[in-house]
Amino acid sequence: MKSEEIKENAFFKKLNDFSELVMFKHSVFSLPFIFIAMLVASYLESGSGWFGWKLLFLGTLAAVSARNFAMGVNRYLDRDIDVLNPRTKNRPSVDGRVSTTQMVGFIFANALFFIVVAYFVNDLAFRLSVPILAVLGAYTLFKRFSALAHLILGISLGLAPIAGVVAVSGEITLWSVYLAIGVMFWVAGFDLLYSLQDMEFDKANNLHSIPSKFGAQNTMYIARVFHLMTVVFWFWFVSSAGLGVWAQTAVVFAAVMLGYEHYLVKKDFTKIDKAFFTVNGYLGFVFLLFIILEVM
């Protein structure tokens, strides 16, 4: 019995290590927007926002496995960088809690799982599955030679609403493109603010980021421009989809939350974590709530 308990404890410890490896709690940034796209697509097609239990299940599995793949690739390729950074040197990929062999297995398992799930969604989802994985894996490589890496990260999460509309409608609509571009600028904007923490480290290690290249004040200005574009594209999404007052309220709420995020960071750089996790986490879920009210 004692041996079984030790094995069980070891299993849950390893599970926790992998959860920390991919920072599973950060799924709050992409999950709401895949479901927003699915709700709106179903609503516009059938008059009902409910797209069925099957797509809810498959959509969740696809989103989680895609994100696990992307984070696994990031952690695997960034080992040489993370070990030098005081902020990241205790990650499971660096301190040995998750071995390189385990990471490679994790990456390939999630890639295969994502492709299989896409196969069961529809033909277009299956054909797009490998290109989507290629984009998701590109972020880590980009930051080694281009400051545009922030936008690549934004594109990676912006694929979530595209995947959502493909799952329900089997096509990519104009309104979903507006929603996706808004997500791209949203993610790129808050990634700029988050990257302020590593500005000096990036300079010292020849890593390409907007903060290391343009400085803190210019970075904050660029982030504000990105988030202004976020609001513009999300209003175009609402207009293009023909949605009403609840969806419009969602965009207004997002604008207020983004303004508060910039207020926090401008006032005190030590509030970056609060701005990054709390504000952006609430933004996605409240946006989803308003869309649910809209399609009801």
Side-chain angles (χ1 to χ4, degrees):
M1 188 70 177
K2 199 168 184 180
S3 175
E4 290 178 1
E5 287 179 1
I6 292 172
K7 287 180 181 179
E8 185 177 343
N9 289 337
F11 170 77
F12 282 110
K13 182 180 181 302
K14 183 61 68 175
L15 197 64
N16 184 67
D17 290 339
F18 273 103
S19 177
E20 185 180 339
L21 176 77
V22 300
M23 301 180 79
F24 189 75
K25 61 184 179 181
H26 290 187
S27 299
V28 297
F29 300 134
S30 57
L31 275 175
F33 285 92
I34 189 172
F35 291 129
I36 286 168
M38 293 172 80
L39 287 164
V40 173
S42 178
Y43 176 68
L44 295 179
E45 283 191 1
S46 65
S48 168
W50 179 234
F51 42 79
W53 290 106
K54 176 186 174 182
L55 283 182
L56 176 64
F57 179 67
L58 292 177
T60 303
L61 291 180
V64 171
S65 58
R67 191 182 177 284
N68 283 348
F69 166 82
M71 290 299 296
V73 170
N74 177 271
R75 294 294 185 257
Y76 178 76
L77 294 179
D78 270 3
R79 299 187 321 281
D80 60 327
I81 298 172
D82 289 343
V83 72
L84 302 173
N85 190 337
R87 190 177 62 81
T88 60
K89 66 180 182 180
N90 293 320
R91 285 175 173 172
S93 52
V94 178
D95 64 14
R97 281 178 289 157
V98 177
S99 70
T100 54
T101 302
Q102 290 171 334
M103 275 189 282
V104 170
F106 181 79
I107 290 165
F108 278 99
N110 277 280
L112 179 61
F113 192 75
F114 176 74
I115 293 169
V116 170
V117 170
Y119 174 81
F120 285 103
V121 172
N122 58 45
D123 183 59
L124 179 58
F126 180 61
R127 284 188 280 121
L128 290 175
S129 59
V130 173
I132 285 174
L133 290 176
V135 174
L136 294 177
Y139 163 69
T140 301
L141 298 175
F142 257 82
K143 69 182 178 183
R144 294 173 185 259
F145 64 85
S146 173
L148 293 177
H150 307 282
L151 284 170
I152 300 301
L153 180 63
I155 291 171
S156 298
L157 272 76
L159 290 172
I162 298 295
V165 74
V166 165
V168 173
S169 304
E171 62 178 355
I172 299 173
T173 59
L174 181 60
W175 62 261
S176 68
V177 173
Y178 289 149
L179 178 60
I181 294 174
V183 171
M184 178 192 74
F185 279 119
W186 170 51
V187 172
F190 71 63
D191 187 56
L192 286 179
L193 298 178
Y194 190 70
S195 297
L196 289 170
Q197 299 175 102
D198 293 329
M199 182 171 60
E200 297 305 322
F201 177 83
D202 290 348
K203 286 180 183 178
N205 290 273
N206 199 30
L207 293 175
H208 296 267
S209 68
I210 287 177
S212 66
K213 189 171 184 178
F214 297 104
Q217 292 306 314
N218 287 330
T219 295
M220 293 174 70
Y221 174 76
I222 295 169
R224 284 196 290 269
V225 172
F226 279 6
H227 283 159
L228 175 62
M229 296 303 296
T230 297
V231 175
V232 170
F233 275 99
W234 282 348
F235 267 120
W236 284 351
F237 146 63
V238 169
S239 176
S240 179
L243 302 177
V245 65
W246 285 114
Q248 293 164 5
T249 304
V251 180
V252 172
F253 169 83
V256 172
M257 292 295 284
L258 290 174
Y260 178 60
E261 178 178 1
H262 285 270
Y263 166 77
L264 285 176
V265 175
K266 184 177 181 180
K267 186 177 179 182
D268 185 354
F269 272 19
T270 63
K271 300 287 181 64
I272 287 176
D273 273 354
K274 181 179 180 182
F276 183 77
F277 298 115
T278 308
V279 176
N280 290 296
Y282 279 124
L283 187 154
F285 276 104
V286 176
F287 202 117
L288 173 61
L289 176 61
F290 279 121
I291 294 300
I292 291 172
L293 293 172
E294 176 71 31
V295 300
M296 285 174 62

PDB file of all heavy atoms in Angstrom, residues 264-276:
ATOM      1  N   LEU A 264      -1.930  50.436 -14.886  1.00  0.00           N
ATOM      2  CA  LEU A 264      -1.184  49.686 -13.877  1.00  0.00           C
ATOM      3  C   LEU A 264       0.307  49.652 -14.192  1.00  0.00           C
ATOM      4  O   LEU A 264       1.148  49.891 -13.323  1.00  0.00           O
ATOM      5  CB  LEU A 264      -1.713  48.251 -13.792  1.00  0.00           C
ATOM      6  CG  LEU A 264      -3.048  48.019 -13.090  1.00  0.00           C
ATOM      7  CD1 LEU A 264      -3.443  46.546 -13.203  1.00  0.00           C
ATOM      8  CD2 LEU A 264      -2.978  48.437 -11.627  1.00  0.00           C
ATOM      9  N   VAL A 265       0.630  49.358 -15.450  1.00  0.00           N
ATOM     10  CA  VAL A 265       2.034  49.215 -15.827  1.00  0.00           C
ATOM     11  C   VAL A 265       2.747  50.560 -15.818  1.00  0.00           C
ATOM     12  O   VAL A 265       3.895  50.677 -15.368  1.00  0.00           O
ATOM     13  CB  VAL A 265       2.162  48.538 -17.208  1.00  0.00           C
ATOM     14  CG1 VAL A 265       3.616  48.490 -17.649  1.00  0.00           C
ATOM     15  CG2 VAL A 265       1.572  47.136 -17.166  1.00  0.00           C
ATOM     16  N   LYS A 266       2.055  51.600 -16.293  1.00  0.00           N
ATOM     17  CA  LYS A 266       2.670  52.932 -16.317  1.00  0.00           C
ATOM     18  C   LYS A 266       2.938  53.435 -14.904  1.00  0.00           C
ATOM     19  O   LYS A 266       3.960  54.065 -14.637  1.00  0.00           O
ATOM     20  CB  LYS A 266       1.753  53.907 -17.055  1.00  0.00           C
ATOM     21  CG  LYS A 266       2.354  55.304 -17.204  1.00  0.00           C
ATOM     22  CD  LYS A 266       1.423  56.205 -17.998  1.00  0.00           C
ATOM     23  CE  LYS A 266       2.044  57.601 -18.151  1.00  0.00           C
ATOM     24  NZ  LYS A 266       1.164  58.509 -18.933  1.00  0.00           N
ATOM     25  N   LYS A 267       2.028  53.101 -14.007  1.00  0.00           N
ATOM     26  CA  LYS A 267       2.166  53.571 -12.624  1.00  0.00           C
ATOM     27  C   LYS A 267       3.288  52.856 -11.892  1.00  0.00           C
ATOM     28  O   LYS A 267       4.022  53.454 -11.104  1.00  0.00           O
ATOM     29  CB  LYS A 267       0.831  53.357 -11.891  1.00  0.00           C
ATOM     30  CG  LYS A 267       0.798  53.939 -10.489  1.00  0.00           C
ATOM     31  CD  LYS A 267      -0.581  53.732  -9.871  1.00  0.00           C
ATOM     32  CE  LYS A 267      -0.630  54.287  -8.461  1.00  0.00           C
ATOM     33  NZ  LYS A 267      -1.937  54.068  -7.827  1.00  0.00           N
ATOM     34  N   ASP A 268       3.437  51.551 -12.177  1.00  0.00           N
ATOM     35  CA  ASP A 268       4.414  50.774 -11.420  1.00  0.00           C
ATOM     36  C   ASP A 268       4.773  49.505 -12.199  1.00  0.00           C
ATOM     37  O   ASP A 268       3.923  48.647 -12.406  1.00  0.00           O
ATOM     38  CB  ASP A 268       3.823  50.398 -10.059  1.00  0.00           C
ATOM     39  CG  ASP A 268       4.825  49.694  -9.157  1.00  0.00           C
ATOM     40  OD1 ASP A 268       5.942  49.404  -9.619  1.00  0.00           O
ATOM     41  OD2 ASP A 268       4.480  49.433  -7.995  1.00  0.00           O
ATOM     42  N   PHE A 269       6.034  49.377 -12.633  1.00  0.00           N
ATOM     43  CA  PHE A 269       6.467  48.211 -13.397  1.00  0.00           C
ATOM     44  C   PHE A 269       6.318  46.910 -12.614  1.00  0.00           C
ATOM     45  O   PHE A 269       6.254  45.838 -13.195  1.00  0.00           O
ATOM     46  CB  PHE A 269       7.928  48.382 -13.836  1.00  0.00           C
ATOM     47  CG  PHE A 269       8.086  49.094 -15.157  1.00  0.00           C
ATOM     48  CD1 PHE A 269       7.059  49.865 -15.672  1.00  0.00           C
ATOM     49  CD2 PHE A 269       9.266  48.987 -15.866  1.00  0.00           C
ATOM     50  CE1 PHE A 269       7.201  50.529 -16.877  1.00  0.00           C
ATOM     51  CE2 PHE A 269       9.424  49.647 -17.084  1.00  0.00           C
ATOM     52  CZ  PHE A 269       8.385  50.423 -17.582  1.00  0.00           C
ATOM     53  N   THR A 270       6.290  46.998 -11.293  1.00  0.00           N
ATOM     54  CA  THR A 270       6.143  45.781 -10.500  1.00  0.00           C
ATOM     55  C   THR A 270       4.733  45.215 -10.610  1.00  0.00           C
ATOM     56  O   THR A 270       4.470  44.103 -10.159  1.00  0.00           O
ATOM     57  CB  THR A 270       6.457  46.038  -9.010  1.00  0.00           C
ATOM     58  OG1 THR A 270       5.498  46.976  -8.478  1.00  0.00           O
ATOM     59  CG2 THR A 270       7.857  46.595  -8.837  1.00  0.00           C
ATOM     60  N   LYS A 271       3.808  45.964 -11.208  1.00  0.00           N
ATOM     61  CA  LYS A 271       2.428  45.498 -11.383  1.00  0.00           C
ATOM     62  C   LYS A 271       2.242  44.746 -12.705  1.00  0.00           C
ATOM     63  O   LYS A 271       1.123  44.452 -13.096  1.00  0.00           O
ATOM     64  CB  LYS A 271       1.465  46.684 -11.338  1.00  0.00           C
ATOM     65  CG  LYS A 271       1.485  47.484 -10.038  1.00  0.00           C
ATOM     66  CD  LYS A 271       0.828  46.709  -8.914  1.00  0.00           C
ATOM     67  CE  LYS A 271       0.823  47.523  -7.614  1.00  0.00           C
ATOM     68  NZ  LYS A 271       0.035  48.738  -7.692  1.00  0.00           N
ATOM     69  N   ILE A 272       3.337  44.454 -13.409  1.00  0.00           N
ATOM     70  CA  ILE A 272       3.226  43.797 -14.710  1.00  0.00           C
ATOM     71  C   ILE A 272       2.520  42.451 -14.597  1.00  0.00           C
ATOM     72  O   ILE A 272       1.658  42.111 -15.415  1.00  0.00           O
ATOM     73  CB  ILE A 272       4.617  43.635 -15.359  1.00  0.00           C
ATOM     74  CG1 ILE A 272       5.131  44.998 -15.845  1.00  0.00           C
ATOM     75  CG2 ILE A 272       4.555  42.670 -16.544  1.00  0.00           C
ATOM     76  CD1 ILE A 272       6.524  44.969 -16.416  1.00  0.00           C
ATOM     77  N   ASP A 273       2.868  41.665 -13.571  1.00  0.00           N
ATOM     78  CA  ASP A 273       2.225  40.356 -13.411  1.00  0.00           C
ATOM     79  C   ASP A 273       0.724  40.495 -13.220  1.00  0.00           C
ATOM     80  O   ASP A 273      -0.068  39.730 -13.786  1.00  0.00           O
ATOM     81  CB  ASP A 273       2.830  39.601 -12.222  1.00  0.00           C
ATOM     82  CG  ASP A 273       4.053  38.801 -12.633  1.00  0.00           C
ATOM     83  OD1 ASP A 273       4.343  38.764 -13.841  1.00  0.00           O
ATOM     84  OD2 ASP A 273       4.718  38.236 -11.752  1.00  0.00           O
ATOM     85  N   LYS A 274       0.307  41.476 -12.413  1.00  0.00           N
ATOM     86  CA  LYS A 274      -1.121  41.703 -12.187  1.00  0.00           C
ATOM     87  C   LYS A 274      -1.806  42.107 -13.491  1.00  0.00           C
ATOM     88  O   LYS A 274      -2.888  41.615 -13.816  1.00  0.00           O
ATOM     89  CB  LYS A 274      -1.334  42.788 -11.125  1.00  0.00           C
ATOM     90  CG  LYS A 274      -2.805  43.059 -10.824  1.00  0.00           C
ATOM     91  CD  LYS A 274      -2.967  44.118  -9.745  1.00  0.00           C
ATOM     92  CE  LYS A 274      -4.440  44.384  -9.451  1.00  0.00           C
ATOM     93  NZ  LYS A 274      -4.620  45.438  -8.429  1.00  0.00           N
ATOM     94  N   ALA A 275      -1.160  42.981 -14.238  1.00  0.00           N
ATOM     95  CA  ALA A 275      -1.733  43.423 -15.515  1.00  0.00           C
ATOM     96  C   ALA A 275      -1.825  42.251 -16.481  1.00  0.00           C
ATOM     97  O   ALA A 275      -2.815  42.088 -17.202  1.00  0.00           O
ATOM     98  CB  ALA A 275      -0.872  44.542 -16.112  1.00  0.00           C
ATOM     99  N   PHE A 276      -0.788  41.430 -16.509  1.00  0.00           N
ATOM    100  CA  PHE A 276      -0.715  40.336 -17.470  1.00  0.00           C
ATOM    101  C   PHE A 276      -1.734  39.241 -17.161  1.00  0.00           C
ATOM    102  O   PHE A 276      -2.523  38.849 -18.018  1.00  0.00           O
ATOM    103  CB  PHE A 276       0.699  39.758 -17.461  1.00  0.00           C
ATOM    104  CG  PHE A 276       0.922  38.663 -18.473  1.00  0.00           C
ATOM    105  CD1 PHE A 276       1.095  38.967 -19.811  1.00  0.00           C
ATOM    106  CD2 PHE A 276       0.976  37.339 -18.084  1.00  0.00           C
ATOM    107  CE1 PHE A 276       1.305  37.972 -20.749  1.00  0.00           C
ATOM    108  CE2 PHE A 276       1.194  36.333 -19.011  1.00  0.00           C
ATOM    109  CZ  PHE A 276       1.367  36.652 -20.338  1.00  0.00           C
TER     110      PHE A 276
END
